[in-house]
Amino acid sequence: MALLSACSAIRFTYNHGDTLLYWWLNAYLDLDSDQSDWVKKDIDSLLQWHRTTQLRDYAGLMSKMQRQLGDGTVTQDELLSDYRDIKARTELLAFKALPQLADLAMSIKPEQIAQMEKKFAKNNDDFRKKFMSGSVEDQQKARYKKSMEQFDLWFGNFSRDQEAALRKASDARPLDNDVWLQERMLRQKKIVALLQHVHRDKLNKEQTMAAIHDLLRDFFDRMDAPDRKAFFDAYIDTTSKFVLTVIRLTTPEQKAHAQKRMQGWINDFNALAVGK
């Protein structure tokens, strides 16, 4: 409780990010004692780079979004620009981690690949239960609930009238959970195939980094793939319009709530960047 009162959730989580990320990896791979020590060091090294080189940039991006919300005239083009900025930063982090990812991939044993496949299968079952079970109405409700968890975090509570309008806007979006499941299963299949290739053909680090680079590039470029471009373009368009609807429906008090929360995150990013 003392830690939580001294810093926000972002600072608390980030300052324990090495442990949280290790636990997440361990859930997929069941890392052994030999892997554990150096994996933790690799995670710490990556987070130190991220802390010292990226967080002030995150604060700048958040400040831009704060200004957009404050002037009350945010446009869909601005939202799409913010999305592209976030995507670029995600790519930068992923490719920066190539050496660490290669070391990890080269260390993984067949039984750990099998463990990852089981974890993937469980995640997919959870996705089906949460977002693909029941009627269309049930699936729309689950999607709406997930969205509102994020909007409540940003803007605070919504009135019943606002919730009714947002539910209508949410339901107007295409319901494509089957496509999303296909995409996540395709990514999982490619990850498993890469790890099997590294193990079977005993790739060296340079070869492994090249293979992971190509896989990451494939993931990030997937939205422009001929068989999925129309789907992803429509998804990004309808999602950005939905977010814009949320912003336009919020009251001045809700926008002020969001700006205050964003300022807290800006302060957190700047504090974390100097090691606090």
Side-chain angles (χ1 to χ4, degrees):
M1 290 298 295
L3 284 171
L4 287 172
S5 66
C7 59
S8 78
I10 284 183
R11 289 172 66 182
F12 180 81
T13 302
Y14 196 92
N15 282 325
H16 294 80
D18 51 351
T19 300
L20 295 171
L21 185 52
Y22 175 82
W23 285 349
W24 179 80
L25 282 172
N26 195 50
Y28 281 87
L29 296 170
D30 191 17
L31 299 169
D32 61 34
S33 57
D34 290 335
Q35 293 168 318
S36 179
D37 286 343
W38 61 261
V39 166
K40 289 178 180 177
K41 290 178 182 177
D42 276 358
I43 292 172
D44 182 66
S45 175
L46 183 64
L47 286 179
Q48 285 298 321
W49 167 83
H50 190 261
R51 178 191 292 267
T52 56
T53 67
Q54 301 302 299
L55 292 187
R56 289 193 186 279
D57 188 50
Y58 288 11
L61 175 60
M62 188 65 66
S63 294
K64 184 182 77 168
M65 296 167 67
Q66 190 183 43
R67 289 192 299 273
Q68 291 170 348
L69 184 63
D71 64 24
T73 60
V74 62
T75 66
Q76 185 183 12
D77 285 342
E78 287 175 323
L79 291 178
L80 292 174
S81 175
D82 294 339
Y83 161 76
R84 289 190 292 269
D85 284 346
I86 293 169
K87 183 172 180 286
R89 287 161 176 79
T90 304
E91 290 189 25
L92 178 63
L93 174 59
F95 287 112
K96 176 65 178 180
L98 273 175
Q100 292 91 341
L101 290 172
D103 287 337
L104 181 60
M106 292 168 64
S107 77
I108 292 176
K109 304 171 181 64
E111 57 269 24
Q112 291 176 313
I113 298 176
Q115 164 70 15
M116 175 177 281
E117 289 182 286
K118 290 179 182 178
K119 179 65 172 173
F120 283 154
K122 181 181 183 302
N123 289 349
N124 294 337
D125 285 341
D126 291 343
F127 182 89
R128 292 186 187 96
K129 290 175 184 177
K130 189 170 184 179
F131 298 109
M132 299 181 69
S133 61
S135 64
V136 171
E137 163 74 12
D138 293 331
Q139 294 180 45
Q140 288 177 328
K141 183 177 180 181
R143 180 178 61 173
Y144 167 74
K145 182 179 178 181
K146 182 180 179 181
S147 297
M148 290 307 296
E149 288 173 356
Q150 295 299 314
F151 295 136
D152 285 341
L153 176 66
W154 284 80
F155 296 103
N157 296 327
F158 288 81
S159 69
R160 289 186 178 181
D161 288 344
Q162 286 176 315
E163 288 180 348
L166 293 177
R167 175 62 191 272
K168 184 177 180 180
S170 176
D171 290 353
R173 296 178 291 164
L175 190 63
D176 296 310
N177 289 329
D178 55 335
V179 179
W180 287 113
L181 181 61
Q182 292 169 17
E183 285 297 307
R184 68 187 288 153
M185 292 178 69
L186 178 62
R187 288 194 301 271
Q188 293 162 356
K189 182 178 179 180
K190 289 181 177 181
I191 291 170
V192 169
L194 181 143
L195 294 175
Q196 291 172 335
H197 172 45
V198 171
H199 177 78
R200 180 184 63 250
D201 298 325
K202 296 180 171 44
L203 301 188
N204 60 32
K205 186 165 182 176
E206 182 178 354
Q207 292 168 327
T208 303
M209 286 179 62
I212 296 174
H213 178 280
D214 290 347
L215 182 63
L216 289 174
R217 189 71 273 153
D218 175 71
F219 287 168
F220 285 117
D221 291 346
R222 180 62 179 159
M223 290 186 172
D224 293 318
D227 61 327
R228 284 289 191 242
K229 182 172 175 23
F231 165 76
F232 282 118
D233 285 350
Y235 169 76
I236 293 170
D237 179 66
T238 57
T239 300
S240 59
K241 287 178 178 175
F242 178 46
V243 173
L244 195 60
T245 298
V246 176
I247 293 172
R248 288 174 176 171
L249 279 174
T250 53
T251 65
E253 291 76 17
Q254 288 169 321
K255 289 184 174 67
H257 180 281
Q259 286 188 301
K260 182 177 179 181
R261 182 170 290 279
M262 293 165 80
Q263 186 59 51
W265 291 338
I266 292 167
N267 295 341
D268 287 342
F269 286 139
N270 285 326
L272 287 164
V274 295
K276 295 183 179 179

